[in-house]
Amino acid sequence: MEYRYQTSESMAHLYPMVKIKGHLHINKEGKSTRTINLGNYKRADWGNATAPTIIDKNTYPFPYKASMTWLSPTEAKAFKAETPLDSDQIEKNWQQKDSDGYPLFEFIVAGMAPNGGLAVWLRGQRKSVLIATAKGQELDDTAVADMLGGKSIKEISQTALCQNPEILQHLLDNGLPPCDLFDHWMEQMEYRYMPLEEYWDGETWREYDEDDLFYDDIMLNELHVQRYDGTHHQLPDDISLLKYHKAGMPKQLALRWDEGDSHLSAYWWFDDQLLYPVLHHFFYSLAPGARTDLLLRLDSRHQRFEMALKGGEMLTQPIDIPQTTYQLIIFKDGHELYHSKNFNKEDGAWDW
């Protein structure tokens, strides 16, 4: 079967890439390909898509392979990578609909990361899924000379950085991207979110009793997430985030709930360089292979707001997630109720 879908490249905002060539391979026999459309580092963050200038209304089979060759200016390196794609699995995902009956996905997106990382997603406005990752090989000037018009990798890298002062300044301030950055972003962990299941008794966190009248008044409305692996989940009627699933570490979280007649919302922003060591240590050292609960502890009555990890047969108590790994702000009935000490986001940052 053939379907209508758009293509887009993607890159992390602070690590722009220069695509040399990129294709989705859609026909093994005829070697037919679709060019992956240009992205925009200023608008299309990791896993996001940039709308094409011209909408392609034709239909195509789903691809069986993605291939990319690109230049990473911050590293002054060129890479080539390809990855097989499961066209049957793509089709199965593509047939998903939202609650109004509209398709969930519009784009097949290919992302280029530092150190030769390649990722491919299916993406729509409210949901995206990761379908493949790969690590490419580094290319030298000889291998890309014809594609770069005779210029060197270093020359094109310097030109690209000079055209992007923000990127150049970030490079000067922070140095080269960590060599394992892509691995951290794309690592998949099995967990579920457990919001509003506990209260603070003045000394410790306790689970609500079934006869607690306050707990009866708590109603979870929506939980949305954006992840460092480039995926996002913003479906209002879907409770799959409350079930065990494999996913990358959260980048942003938004939770909305009611307490009686009051409407509350909480927003988190996570620092990947601080959060990843905590999650990796828990998932692979403290509770290896265990299904994990990510506890969102939100006790508005006692003004106590924390996060913790629970799972594994050897751990009897949850492990706190340091509050330094995230920023948090909470609203109640349209007014700010709380923000973390390290909160420095601009007004409106929670509108995503």
Side-chain angles (χ1 to χ4, degrees):
M1 293 184 63
E2 295 190 350
Y3 294 83
R4 181 177 295 130
Y5 56 90
Q6 306 303 319
T7 68
S8 177
E9 66 180 27
S10 178
M11 62 206 78
H13 177 65
L14 293 174
Y15 305 108
M17 302 292 163
V18 178
K19 185 185 71 176
I20 299 173
K21 61 179 180 178
H23 296 95
L24 297 177
H25 302 256
I26 61 176
N27 187 301
K28 295 181 181 179
E29 292 76 18
K31 298 183 179 180
S32 179
T33 62
R34 284 194 69 187
T35 299
I36 298 171
N37 288 325
L38 292 175
N40 185 324
Y41 86 93
K42 293 183 179 180
R43 292 191 289 125
D45 207 351
W46 184 241
N48 205 344
T50 299
T53 304
I54 300 176
I55 302 294
D56 188 343
K57 295 183 179 181
N58 295 318
T59 60
Y60 303 89
F62 286 126
Y64 72 93
K65 183 174 71 173
S67 63
M68 300 283 285
T69 303
W70 72 95
L71 188 148
S72 174
T74 56
E75 303 165 282
K77 294 180 179 181
F79 299 97
K80 178 182 180 180
E82 65 177 40
T83 180
L85 303 176
D86 187 335
S87 55
D88 292 336
Q89 186 64 31
I90 294 174
E91 183 173 3
K92 182 178 179 180
N93 276 286
W94 207 267
Q95 291 172 349
Q96 295 181 37
K97 303 290 193 296
D98 63 19
S99 58
D100 296 321
Y102 293 104
L104 281 180
F105 303 111
E106 304 169 62
F107 286 87
I108 297 180
V109 181
M112 302 162 288
N115 200 35
L118 173 67
V120 182
W121 304 267
L122 307 182
R123 184 175 180 89
Q125 183 177 0
R126 294 191 171 185
K127 184 180 179 180
S128 58
V129 295
L130 177 68
I131 58 173
T133 61
K135 291 295 284 291
Q137 62 179 2
E138 185 179 347
L139 304 175
D140 59 21
D141 280 324
T142 303
V144 294
D146 291 340
M147 294 180 281
L148 298 182
K151 294 184 178 180
S152 69
I153 295 172
K154 184 177 180 180
E155 286 176 316
I156 293 183
S157 296
Q158 290 176 338
T159 299
L161 290 176
C162 290
Q163 293 174 346
N164 299 295
E166 177 189 5
I167 305 302
L168 180 59
Q169 189 61 50
H170 179 266
L171 180 62
L172 294 174
D173 293 342
N174 299 280
L176 292 173
C179 61
D180 54 2
L181 181 67
F182 178 77
D183 299 323
H184 290 183
W185 284 350
M186 309 315 292
E187 187 170 297
Q188 302 292 288
M189 309 168 190
E190 188 170 12
Y191 62 95
R192 65 177 176 179
Y193 293 97
M194 294 287 288
L196 309 168
E197 296 290 330
E198 299 177 315
Y199 70 96
W200 179 255
D201 72 354
E203 296 182 359
T204 189
W205 287 93
R206 297 186 180 277
E207 292 186 5
Y208 281 101
D209 296 325
E210 292 183 1
D211 57 355
D212 191 311
L213 296 179
F214 183 80
Y215 186 58
D216 290 340
D217 282 339
I218 297 178
M219 175 66 69
L220 175 63
N221 293 327
E222 292 182 307
L223 176 61
H224 296 168
V225 61
Q226 294 182 2
R227 307 181 186 93
Y228 275 103
D229 66 6
T231 62
H232 74 301
H233 196 113
Q234 295 175 238
L235 295 171
D237 302 320
D238 193 344
I239 62 171
S240 61
L241 296 177
L242 306 180
K243 302 177 181 180
Y244 291 113
H245 58 282
K246 283 194 173 182
M249 58 182 171
K251 183 178 183 179
Q252 294 180 197
L253 273 179
L255 179 70
R256 299 179 182 90
W257 75 100
D258 294 337
E259 293 178 2
D261 295 330
S262 294
H263 306 291
L264 294 97
S265 55
Y267 303 89
W268 293 262
W269 293 262
F270 298 90
D271 185 315
D272 62 322
Q273 297 300 305
L274 299 177
L275 179 64
Y276 177 78
V278 177
L279 296 183
H280 187 82
H281 180 60
F282 185 90
F283 279 92
Y284 294 96
S285 298
L286 297 179
R291 286 182 161 186
T292 299
D293 296 337
L294 202 163
L295 306 176
L296 307 180
R297 293 166 158 172
L298 300 161
D299 187 345
S300 63
R301 289 182 300 174
H302 303 100
Q303 294 287 290
R304 190 86 177 194
F305 309 103
E306 298 177 5
M307 300 183 73
L309 295 164
K310 182 174 71 174
E313 297 179 357
M314 302 301 293
L315 293 176
T316 58
Q317 296 296 324
I319 303 297
D320 291 339
I321 297 178
Q323 296 185 22
T324 54
T325 64
Y326 58 86
Q327 298 183 42
L328 169 64
I329 189 168
I330 298 175
F331 297 95
K332 181 176 182 179
D333 295 328
H335 301 283
E336 183 181 316
L337 176 68
Y338 167 87
H339 68 259
S340 56
K341 294 181 179 179
N342 62 349
F343 187 81
N344 62 9
K345 300 295 181 181
E346 298 179 354
D347 287 348
W350 42 87
D351 293 330
W352 55 272

